[in-house]
Amino acid sequence: GIQVEQSPPDLILQEGANSTLRCNFSDSVNNLQWFHQNPWGQLINLFYIPSGTKQNGRLSATTVATERYSLLYISSSQTTDSGVYFCAVVASGGYQKVTFGTGTKLQVIP
Amino acid sequence: ETGVTQTPRHLVMGMTNKKSLKCEQHLGHNAMYWYKQSAKKPLELMFVYNFKEQTENNSVPSRFSPECPNSSHLFLHLHTLQPEDSALYLCASSFQRDTEAFFGQGTRLTVV
């Protein structure tokens, strides 16, 4: 099945700093989502982005499907951005199930 | 509020108990999912329902029994669980199978 790798696994930022999280996948995809898991466990949708670029406030994401990666940009980070960021993909070609990456754990310190 | 509601939020149960987790979505979606998230493991897809029909069971032990009476409700019935079943159980829904998914808040289950 498709492999999904996220980097870095852990990241500590000073409040106000910018960061880039990466998601690499081993095969072509139909769907790709970025999620933020808050400390209480809820997965919050950030972007549905199988290709192209989207922006939402301080967050933006770019997926380059032909090169099999996606990037999540966090600008002017805040302590509330802390948590785990996951990308999840659905591979192309017939029925494929959703595969989650192992996540990037982000800690933003004041 | 994502439109997907899970109850209870926390559950402690003994190995001989029977309990059920509930998931409800108000988004008009046709597909619903159960996921398991254990410590230090990726999210594991357990079951998929599409238009109330189970379309996927990822080798889940029979002590977990899903039920989908309609497209808005999904249950996970639990019986004779083991301590290693302690985890965060997440429900999700999407308009069509494997399109953009929205998650509930999760139920944190502890088996004692």
Side-chain angles (χ1 to χ4, degrees):
Chain A
I2 191 169
Q3 303 299 311
V4 183
E5 294 182 357
Q6 291 186 242
S7 60
D10 297 278
L11 184 60
I12 300 175
L13 293 178
Q14 199 77 39
E15 197 170 24
N18 303 328
S19 63
T20 301
L21 282 56
R22 188 177 180 102
C23 173
N24 290 336
F25 39 95
S26 60
D27 207 344
S28 58
V29 298
N30 284 334
N31 301 323
L32 188 147
Q33 282 188 256
W34 281 99
F35 295 94
H36 173 214
Q37 189 168 38
N38 64 25
W40 298 271
Q42 184 168 11
L43 281 166
I44 298 168
N45 287 42
L46 297 178
F47 296 102
Y48 175 72
I49 186 166
S51 64
T53 297
K54 290 186 178 180
Q55 179 152 10
N56 185 2
R58 297 181 295 104
L59 303 182
S60 63
T62 295
T63 297
V64 184
T66 53
E67 297 187 20
R68 300 182 183 171
Y69 72 88
S70 183
L71 302 174
L72 177 69
Y73 305 97
I74 304 174
S75 64
S76 304
S77 57
Q78 301 176 357
T79 56
T80 51
D81 295 331
S82 297
V84 184
Y85 290 80
F86 290 100
C87 71
V89 305
V90 177
S92 304
Y95 167 65
Q96 301 284 349
K97 65 181 182 181
V98 175
T99 302
F100 275 77
T102 51
T104 292
K105 185 175 182 181
L106 173 65
Q107 184 180 357
V108 180
I109 55 178
Chain B
E1 176 59 50
T2 64
V4 182
T5 304
Q6 288 186 243
T7 54
R9 296 291 305 277
H10 301 272
L11 179 61
V12 179
M13 60 185 288
M15 290 188 284
T16 59
N17 290 159
K18 287 185 180 181
K19 296 286 184 184
S20 296
L21 310 185
K22 179 182 176 182
C23 178
E24 186 173 1
Q25 57 95 1
H26 307 280
L27 300 170
H29 289 169
N30 300 303
M32 296 187 78
Y33 314 78
W34 280 117
Y35 284 86
K36 176 183 178 182
Q37 187 178 29
S38 304
K40 301 183 180 178
K41 281 189 176 181
L43 271 81
E44 302 170 58
L45 180 63
M46 301 174 71
F47 301 103
V48 180
Y49 277 82
N50 198 32
F51 291 95
K52 301 189 298 179
E53 299 296 321
Q54 186 181 131
T55 56
E56 189 158 343
N57 175 342
N58 281 316
S59 304
V60 180
S62 59
R63 57 186 183 270
F64 295 90
S65 174
E67 178 190 2
C68 188
N70 54 62
S71 292
S72 299
H73 294 85
L74 185 64
F75 296 89
L76 188 62
H77 304 299
L78 316 171
H79 62 98
T80 59
L81 294 192
Q82 305 298 311
E84 59 265 28
D85 296 322
S86 299
L88 180 67
Y89 289 85
L90 290 157
C91 171
S93 72
S94 61
F95 183 67
Q96 294 180 347
R97 185 178 177 175
D98 297 325
T99 56
E100 185 177 11
F102 295 83
F103 281 78
Q105 309 96 316
T107 295
R108 197 164 294 278
L109 173 67
T110 303
V111 181
V112 297

